Amino acid sequence: MTRLFAGTPFDRPPTCERCGKLEAECTCPPPARELTPPEKQTAKIAVEKRPKGKVATVIRGLKADANDLPALLTQLKNTCGAGGTIDGDVLEIQGDHADRVTKLLTKIGYKLPR
Ligand SMILES: [Zn+2]
């Protein structure tokens, strides 16, 4: 059977759009993620009780794929002088740091519900 569509892209091995090499040989760094500007996001800050009478400042509403949450967590920890964790899209700082978190997020540009 004659191949009518010889030379279509399906016949060629996939190549990198940037360097033109075969994808298997390509050493280009992965493309930078497209982050959403802080001005277009709303962060919700809540101080929540934890077992044993501890409290934590929780930040919700910032998607992990639209933000550099690890970098943000570092800023938050430095600002608050406290430990913190990321769980999916939720950032948590140990202790009641609502005021500092509010100031930092506002400074970065995130919108906060009034
Ligand atoms: Zn490449």
Side-chain angles (χ1 to χ4, degrees):
M1 178 179 159
T2 311
R3 298 184 66 183
L4 295 175
F5 299 105
T8 62
F10 301 105
D11 288 330
R12 286 185 234 131
T15 53
C16 172
E17 289 180 8
R18 286 179 289 173
C19 67
K21 289 182 183 175
L22 294 176
E23 282 189 356
E25 297 170 2
C26 167
T27 55
C28 294
R33 287 186 303 155
E34 293 225 3
L35 302 180
T36 304
E39 296 78 17
K40 294 188 176 177
Q41 302 180 72
T42 300
K44 293 187 186 126
I45 300 168
V47 177
E48 299 181 358
K49 285 184 181 163
R50 293 290 180 259
K52 299 181 183 175
K54 291 185 178 174
V55 293
T57 307
V58 182
I59 300 129
R60 295 190 176 86
L62 306 180
K63 294 255 187 303
D65 57 4
N67 297 278
D68 190 347
L69 292 187
L72 180 58
L73 181 69
T74 300
Q75 280 185 282
L76 288 164
K77 288 198 288 189
N78 290 342
T79 298
C80 301
T85 55
I86 300 174
D87 182 11
D89 294 337
V90 180
L91 296 160
E92 185 168 316
I93 303 292
Q94 291 160 17
D96 181 349
H97 299 290
D99 288 347
R100 287 176 176 179
V101 170
T102 299
K103 275 184 194 164
L104 177 64
L105 294 184
T106 303
K107 198 175 116 192
I108 294 172
Y110 289 111
K111 290 190 289 187
L112 299 172
R114 289 168 189 271

